[in-house]
């Protein structure tokens, strides 16, 4: 039962990878970080920077595409 549940969880996670919205942190050590984790990270004006946290392949392409479109619409971009 444990192996079956592990395989189902693996397939579920692979088909819906996490897509992080990135923003730049302030200061001399500035870097692009996930805005959901880092409160001080601010997304750049006029663009959306995303990072897909998994491999992209046919089984998860539509999920990733819809997430990208949702993020663009949420931030006021026309598609």
């Amino acid at each position: 039962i444990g192996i079956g549940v592990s395989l189902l969880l693996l397939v579920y996670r692979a088909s819906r990878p996490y897509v992080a919205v990135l923003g730049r942190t302030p200061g001399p050590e500035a870097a692009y970080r996930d805005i959901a984790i880092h409160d001080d990270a601010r997304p750049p004006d006029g663009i959306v920077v995303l990072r897909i946290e998994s491999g992209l392949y046919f089984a998860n392409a539509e999920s990733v595409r819809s997430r990208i479109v949702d993020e663009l619409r949420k931030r006021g971009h026309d598609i």
Side-chain angles (χ1 to χ4, degrees), residues 17-68:
Y18 180 67
V19 178
V21 179
L22 303 181
R24 192 169 175 93
T25 55
E29 298 294 323
Y32 281 92
R33 309 238 186 242
D34 187 351
I35 64 172
I37 298 171
H38 299 275
D39 294 333
D40 60 339
R42 300 287 174 245
D45 293 332
I47 63 171
V48 179
V49 181
L50 302 173
R51 180 179 61 217
I52 302 168
E53 299 280 335
S54 179
L56 183 61
Y57 58 99
F58 71 95
N60 66 8
E62 184 57 34
S63 172
V64 171
R65 180 193 165 288
S66 65
R67 173 61 196 228
I68 291 170

